[in-house]
Amino acid sequence: MSLSDKINKLCEQALEKEMVGGIVTLKKTADDSAMHCLITEQSELEGTDPLIPFFPGNVANFVKKLTRITPTTDKILVILRPCEMRAVVEMVKLAQIQNQNIIWLTFDCPGTIPRSDVRGEKIPDSHEFFSDAMNSDDKIRTICATCDYVRADTGDIGFLSFEQDAPFIAYTEQGKKFLNELGIEFIEKAVTDGLDKIIARRIENENKLYDKLNKQVKGIDNLVAAFAGCVNCHNCMTNCPICICRECFFESEAMDFAGDMFIELARRKKGLRAPTDLGVFHIGRMSHMTTSCVSCGACEEACPEKIIVGQIFKWVAANVQKVFDYSAGKKWEDELPLKTFCEEELEQVTGIE
Ligand code: SF4
Ligand code: SF4
Ligand code: SF4
């Protein structure tokens, strides 16, 4: 049985026993790509592949929509990658997802191939992809090749796809109850052997990326140069699960100016580049959300100009989150950095002892 079949079997049983009213998983599309899909019938499992190595967007955005008005009455099973699970944790903390009647099933993630490599090509078989990923990061997105959070341990159920016999693991009481009711065997203590090699390689890649960005993107001039090709389409923002404002300041009338102001700006800057407001948009977005950025790279996948926006945000977020001793989405119990104010921070911010 393939790894995906093992998860699909669980899905089939959960629907058959009416333990869930729906399942959110990845389903292959007619153009050989894949999209997230909410299915409610066993027959709709045909063509689903929860482990397909393709990232059509962060599923947390869909779950936000699913629970925005009210959570579902029936239980929903959501199958998702570790970076998506971490986005969910942040969005629950930010009151964007109502975490009721949802069972989260996460899996050890080998990474996903870039969207640009998929167009017109068949996505590799997910089962084979796992064995390739054990030894190489060559085919996956840079954001994945530098991701060391390949095991999610914040959901209800984990699927340890890199371990011997790929067991399910129950992380919460809800997960345990669910697996028991299904009659599926599971373990309760995580094993890590299968991931050690991958994680060590990913940390090395991550350090190399940060060294490169420190040289190429650090400082305002370099940052502006990195975004030189930006067409200000805001795709990165729309696809980011953490950009949560219902009305974006950068799309509001506050960014409209009288004609004379443009002349004035052009005189001051010795020529005004169009589209305008690029720097303020990217730096503004960074200041709004890097405490919660989960380095999923959905922004970069959505960028038509191939700007390494996800890698840049990942690097900025790593630095920002280090200051707050916070790791976005890793722990339910850690409070959002900007929601708390520690006494010692008063001196840091004001300089007053
Ligand atoms: S960023 Fe990490 S968790 Fe997300 S798809 Fe890539 S390897 Fe998987
Ligand atoms: S900024 Fe990019 S990498 Fe960070 S959470 Fe948003 S989409 Fe993911
Ligand atoms: S998606 Fe790319 S081109 Fe569009 S605003 Fe973001 S960085 Fe610029």
Side-chain angles (χ1 to χ4, degrees):
M1 192 187 284
S2 77
L3 294 170
S4 284
D5 286 348
K6 206 166 165 180
I7 297 184
N8 277 348
K9 183 95 191 137
L10 176 149
C11 296
E12 200 180 319
Q13 284 175 254
L15 285 169
E16 192 183 351
K17 293 190 175 182
E18 296 181 356
M19 287 168 59
V20 292
I23 297 173
V24 176
T25 184
L26 282 167
K27 191 161 183 163
K28 290 179 187 160
T29 53
D31 66 349
D32 275 333
S33 154
M35 292 308 281
H36 290 110
C37 192
L38 170 64
I39 58 163
T40 55
E41 305 276 342
Q42 281 179 68
S43 59
E44 294 160 17
L45 280 167
E46 179 73 37
T48 60
D49 183 352
L51 307 180
I52 196 164
F54 181 65
F55 192 82
N58 194 314
V59 76
N61 271 330
F62 177 56
V63 182
K64 174 166 89 171
K65 212 169 177 60
L66 192 68
T67 66
R68 172 166 274 162
I69 298 191
T70 54
T72 54
T73 312
D74 288 336
K75 270 201 189 314
I76 301 285
L77 174 69
V78 180
I79 305 170
L80 68 179
R81 297 177 185 280
C83 59
E84 296 176 305
M85 187 65 229
R86 286 186 288 112
V88 166
V89 172
E90 289 302 293
M91 289 166 84
V92 170
K93 291 183 193 177
L94 289 160
Q96 298 302 304
I97 286 179
Q98 303 195 54
N99 188 16
Q100 287 148 42
N101 284 346
I102 303 183
I103 299 162
W104 307 103
L105 192 161
T106 58
F107 57 89
D108 292 354
C109 180
T112 58
I113 50 180
R115 186 185 291 255
S116 50
D117 290 359
V118 168
R119 292 276 170 258
E121 299 288 329
K122 206 168 171 2
I123 302 176
D125 174 79
S126 53
H127 197 73
E128 280 170 24
F129 198 78
F130 271 82
S131 41
D132 288 353
M134 186 65 94
N135 300 311
S136 158
D137 297 317
D138 288 354
K139 290 187 184 150
I140 56 180
R141 299 182 292 149
T142 306
I143 209 92
C144 294
T146 56
C147 167
D148 51 332
Y149 290 141
V150 285
R151 173 160 296 164
D153 44 15
T154 35
D156 294 303
I157 300 169
F159 180 62
L160 308 188
S161 30
F162 281 109
E163 304 299 343
Q164 182 90 28
D165 300 328
F168 286 103
I169 179 168
Y171 288 125
T172 63
E173 280 308 310
Q174 171 167 254
K176 202 165 160 181
K177 189 162 171 271
F178 187 76
L179 291 169
N180 271 328
E181 277 176 31
L182 281 173
I184 289 179
E185 277 186 30
F186 61 93
I187 57 172
E188 288 186 65
K189 197 170 179 316
V191 278
T192 53
D193 292 359
L195 287 181
D196 288 352
K197 190 173 151 192
I198 297 178
I199 292 174
R201 196 175 64 224
R202 298 277 176 89
I203 291 174
E204 203 182 316
N205 292 344
E206 191 177 40
N207 289 335
K208 280 187 195 153
L209 174 71
Y210 292 164
D211 281 351
K212 187 181 100 178
L213 294 177
N214 258 319
K215 287 185 195 116
Q216 291 180 1
V217 186
K218 201 168 179 177
I220 193 70
D221 290 342
N222 286 336
L223 190 68
V224 169
F227 285 101
C230 174
V231 291
N232 216 13
C233 64
H234 292 187
N235 275 4
C236 45
M237 176 189 83
T238 315
N239 283 274
C240 174
I242 306 299
C243 267
I244 56 169
C245 298
R246 296 293 286 271
E247 194 182 334
C248 176
F249 175 79
F250 303 108
E251 289 181 348
S252 72
E253 286 180 3
M255 300 307 284
D256 292 338
F257 304 109
D260 287 345
M261 176 60 103
F262 286 102
I263 296 284
E264 172 59 25
L265 283 172
R267 280 193 186 125
R268 225 190 291 160
K269 293 178 176 221
K270 308 276 178 242
L272 187 63
R273 179 203 192 281
T276 55
D277 314 320
L278 291 186
V280 75
F281 167 63
H282 291 294
I283 292 170
R285 201 168 91 78
M286 271 174 198
S287 70
H288 288 179
M289 50 67 62
T290 40
T291 46
S292 287
C293 169
V294 293
S295 310
C296 65
C299 47
E300 190 163 313
E301 283 292 275
C303 177
E305 295 303 310
K306 296 194 176 8
I307 290 167
I308 56 164
V309 54
Q311 296 170 53
I312 295 173
F313 272 68
K314 175 187 166 87
W315 166 64
V316 174
N319 285 301
V320 170
Q321 290 174 23
K322 202 162 145 196
V323 171
F324 291 103
D325 194 18
Y326 184 75
S327 188
K330 278 296 277 178
K331 290 190 186 154
W332 288 103
E333 61 274 20
D334 287 353
E335 290 222 54
L336 293 169
L338 299 184
K339 244 181 104 181
T340 54
F341 197 86
C342 304
E343 221 173 306
E344 65 269 21
E345 288 174 344
L346 188 65
E347 190 187 333
Q348 286 169 12
V349 175
T350 62
I352 301 167
E353 288 184 32

